Amino acid sequence: MISSEVRSNIQKYGQEHLLKYYDTLSTKERSIYDEQLNNLNFGYLDISRDNDSEKKEIHYEPIQALRKEDIDKDREQFEKVGIDAIKNCKVGAVLLAGGQGTRLGFDKPKGMFNIGVTKELYIFERLIRNLLDVVEKTGSYIPLFVMTSEKNDSDTRQFFKEKNYFGYDKNFVYFFVQDMAPSISYNGKFLMEDRYKLALSPNGNGGWFSSMVSSGLLDKMNKMGIEWLNVFSVDNVLQRIADPVFVGATILSGCPAGAKVVKKSKPDERVGVMCKENGKPSIVEYYELTPEMMEAKDAYGEPAYNYGVTLNYLFRVKNLIEINNNKLVNHIVEKKIPYINDNGELVNPEEPNGYKFETLILDMINMLDDCLVFEVERQKEFAPVKNKEGVDSIDTARELLKLNGVEI
Ligand code: UTP
């Protein structure tokens, strides 16, 4: 049943079209739709209206990084502290696998993509193997939380099961589904993708912690004693996960978070760069870098905005809980969103027809007071599979895997 609150919001916000087919729905359709409507946040309509609101003034400055040379000097100490934390179950890993991977154009979850050439080698498998290296080194399994979306959850779970968790202990793997966000047409109406379904999409890679909380995983983590979460993207097939050196360095730095970064391949590489924004740690998008920022130099004569993020962060759970109470910004993105028209027919628009909403993990960094910028060797730890061809593609990732002696 639709709650009375939702009914009154439908009227208040002029969204009566949502109920156009309601009386014709079957019991099953109605129960799916009731659940969607009862969870619908009408506040998104206010956000889409405020789209033109004035932006705050932003002042960027460079941020100091812990460079590879600095890390090497204290590597042993960092590693020891990291291994201790892992052995004491203070570190969990969070795999962000809720994205839609549109650039790769693969119709299954991205982690199911076979990056192998002469043999099968799935992206999920590569990531698990990397994590297993740490399990071997520390003698302890790291709890692995896998974030899926409503669209790819069952495929992902099924694949892990079928492949016997790629050798990981399945008792340490927890799946959770990312929260979804509605889509809104340019004239301020929630879009529907069927007579009994809203047009929903994953709420962006910043939605991971709030989705963990709404899935009840915070209690579980507290019981396990997890104090740090290493969150990472699905597509970097070379990344080191729960890397003891990174974990130890972040703990010893006293910072509430750490970010694994690599030197940019060229000044205008399309990657977000660590910096300070109005005195807080932040990530400036490549298209926001001015020519002056690209030319600026640091004390070593190196480019001052030189460290690209790899989407591999370590967050202290205590601080995540704090920032989770101050809502993350919803970014409005104009997209082509399939919807049903007034006759109930599905339309696949050729031009953008409305707004989707995304939260971004980089905004979480900006909500913290500090972040350790931790440099890793690009050739060894950064092989993202974003595109079909060209930069950051299947081919470039394969080359890098070979370069690192991985049999593909
Ligand atoms: P990207 O920003 O590269 O998005 O995600 P994507 O969906 O994988 O790919 P494109 O842009 O459509 O081609 C970076 C990481 O964040 C995860 C992705 O799965 C990837 O690990 N992500 C992204 C989510 O988990 N949920 C989201 O809503 C968006």
Side-chain angles (χ1 to χ4, degrees), residues 96 98-103 110 147 178 202 204-205 233-234 311 386:
L96 300 182
Q100 292 178 293
T102 36
R103 282 171 287 174
K110 212 189 229 187
M147 181 167 85
Q178 152 166 33
N205 64 24
S233 75
V234 71
L311 219 177
K386 295 281 184 198

Side-chain angles (χ1 to χ4, degrees), residues 92-96 208 229-233 311-315 361:
V94 185
L95 164 55
L96 300 182
W208 67 277
L229 286 175
N230 184 192
V231 49
F232 61 100
S233 75
L311 219 177
N312 186 316
Y313 301 100
L314 186 70
F315 285 96
I361 197 166

Side-chain angles (χ1 to χ4, degrees), residues 142-244:
I142 294 123
L144 171 66
F145 303 93
V146 182
M147 181 167 85
T148 61
S149 78
E150 276 177 19
K151 299 197 188 281
N152 68 19
D153 184 64
S154 66
D155 279 348
T156 307
R157 286 178 198 242
Q158 182 60 29
F159 194 62
F160 268 79
K161 215 168 161 185
E162 219 173 275
K163 302 290 176 191
N164 200 17
Y165 295 76
F166 307 102
Y168 213 73
D169 183 338
K170 68 172 194 258
N171 296 316
F172 286 87
V173 182
Y174 306 88
F175 294 94
F176 66 102
V177 180
Q178 152 166 33
D179 297 333
M180 303 290 270
S183 308
I184 296 176
S185 69
Y186 284 144
N187 56 4
K189 304 282 177 201
F190 283 121
L191 289 167
M192 295 169 69
E193 66 177 29
D194 208 331
R195 293 171 307 119
Y196 62 100
K197 273 186 192 161
L198 296 164
L200 300 174
S201 55
N203 67 349
N205 64 24
W208 67 277
F209 189 69
S210 56
S211 303
M212 277 183 98
V213 174
S214 51
S215 310
L217 284 171
L218 189 57
D219 278 350
K220 189 158 245 141
M221 280 194 296
N222 284 338
K223 283 197 188 107
M224 287 193 264
I226 293 177
E227 292 177 11
W228 294 89
L229 286 175
N230 184 192
V231 49
F232 61 100
S233 75
V234 71
D235 44 44
N236 177 6
V237 288
L238 273 184
Q239 67 191 312
R240 311 307 307 170
I241 304 149
D243 167 2

Side-chain angles (χ1 to χ4, degrees), residues 318-344:
K318 197 169 78 181
N319 298 82
L320 284 170
I321 296 169
E322 264 167 41
I323 61 175
N324 196 40
N325 295 330
N326 313 320
K327 286 263 170 284
L328 271 182
V329 180
N330 268 292
H331 295 264
I332 301 172
V333 207
E334 297 190 31
K335 292 257 168 141
K336 296 180 223 166
I337 308 158
Y339 68 103
I340 52 162
N341 63 16
D342 289 343
N343 303 323

Side-chain angles (χ1 to χ4, degrees), residues 60-71 73 246 249 253 255 257-261 263 273-277 279-282 297-309 365 369-375:
Y60 292 118
E61 49 185 321
I63 191 167
Q64 197 162 358
L66 194 63
R67 300 168 315 145
K68 277 188 301 168
E69 303 87 293
D70 309 322
I71 296 166
K73 279 187 225 141
F246 176 46
S253 72
C255 293
K260 276 199 167 188
V261 298
K263 277 207 180 110
V273 173
M274 283 295 311
C275 66
K276 284 207 164 177
E277 179 185 326
K280 298 257 208 160
S282 184
K297 297 279 185 286
D298 67 12
Y300 304 95
E302 301 255 353
Y305 296 90
N306 203 19
Y307 293 107
V309 286
I365 294 288
D369 288 332
D370 211 348
C371 176
L372 178 73
V373 183
F374 184 93
E375 187 196 357

